[in-house]
Amino acid sequence: MNQSHGKPVPPGVEIRYTEPDDAKYLKAWLMDPSVMRWFPMEDEVEIDDAVMRWIAFYRYKCTLTITKDGVPCGIATLYLQPYRRLAHQCEFGIVIGPGYQGMGIGSYLMSSIIHLAKEKFKIELLHLQVYSENYPAINFYKRFGFKEFGRQNSWIKEKDGYNGRVFMERFL
C-alpha cells in the first residue's frame, strides 16, 4: 500500500491499514498535552472512549496508520456513512504523534487518506472540523485544498471560556 499519491515518501515511512493494536499509540498521543489540546476529550476515560470509536473503523479498512521505521506515528480515519444517500461524503480525523510533525509524515498520510477515500470508497466530499485557534492545522488543510464552510464560536467549554471550531470541506 506504500504509494506516494504524488507526495514524496519520507525515508523509513510506510502506510498500512490500522490494526486494533494501534490503539495504544493513539491513546499515548492523545494523552500528550500538546496533542490533547486540540481534541475535546478531557481525561483518560474520555480518551479511552474516543480511541475505541476511532480504532473500531479498522474492520472497514477505512483507517490508515503511518509508521516510521516500523513504529506507528500517525492515524487517519474516514468516518464512513451507513446510509446510501450520504455515502458520497464523510468526515475524517487525522492525528500525528508528538515528535513526528514537520517531517512530511502528515502530508503523506493526508495524501493517502484522500486517495483511499476517492479510489476505494468513491467519496466525493471530505469534511472535517478543527479548533478555530489551531492555525497550523487549518493552514495544513488549506494546502490540501480544504475550504472553510462554517464556524461555531462557542463549541468547547474550557475553564477560561469557549473555543470555537471551523468546518472545512474539499470535493475530491
Side-chain angles (χ1 to χ4, degrees):
M1 167 172 283
N2 219 34
Q3 303 169 3
S4 71
H5 314 298
K7 293 282 179 193
V9 181
V13 169
E14 294 183 352
I15 295 272
R16 61 169 170 76
Y17 289 114
T18 299
E19 302 165 355
D21 284 347
D22 295 335
K24 64 184 172 231
Y25 295 97
L26 179 57
K27 180 177 179 175
W29 304 329
L30 291 172
M31 293 290 293
D32 184 286
S34 70
V35 175
M36 187 185 205
R37 166 71 185 96
W38 303 115
F39 287 88
M41 293 76 75
E42 186 171 70
D43 58 28
E44 189 170 1
V45 171
E46 291 180 2
I47 288 172
D48 284 340
D49 180 68
V51 167
M52 178 198 66
R53 293 171 190 274
W54 194 320
I55 295 293
F57 281 89
Y58 86 92
R59 27 179 186 213
Y60 306 111
K61 294 198 179 295
C62 64
T63 180
L64 300 175
T65 296
I66 191 163
T67 64
K68 173 118 172 84
D69 301 323
V71 178
C73 55
I75 295 176
T77 299
L78 300 169
Y79 303 116
L80 299 176
Q81 295 291 326
Y83 310 112
R84 285 188 295 264
R85 293 190 329 178
L86 294 175
H88 68 283
Q89 58 83 40
C90 78
E91 186 172 1
F92 77 100
I94 185 170
V95 61
I96 303 299
Y100 292 103
Q101 293 92 0
M103 303 169 71
I105 290 171
S107 293
Y108 183 44
L109 182 55
M110 178 67 86
S111 296
S112 298
I113 202 72
I114 289 170
H115 180 80
L116 182 70
K118 184 176 181 179
E119 300 303 321
K120 181 174 181 183
F121 295 103
K122 307 304 180 207
I123 301 296
E124 299 170 19
L125 177 67
L126 272 182
H127 55 93
L128 62 96
Q129 49 188 296
V130 60
Y131 275 66
S132 59
E133 303 296 316
N134 192 345
Y135 304 115
I138 291 169
N139 290 331
F140 174 76
Y141 298 132
K142 285 180 179 178
R143 283 198 328 263
F144 280 88
F146 287 85
K147 305 228 182 300
E148 180 178 331
F149 71 89
R151 283 182 176 260
Q152 180 182 5
N153 295 322
S154 300
W155 178 48
I156 298 285
K157 188 171 184 178
E158 305 280 6
K159 292 177 182 87
D160 58 349
Y162 291 99
N163 284 318
R165 66 179 162 174
V166 175
F167 299 96
M168 300 180 83
E169 67 184 4
R170 175 189 162 178
F171 282 93
L172 302 183

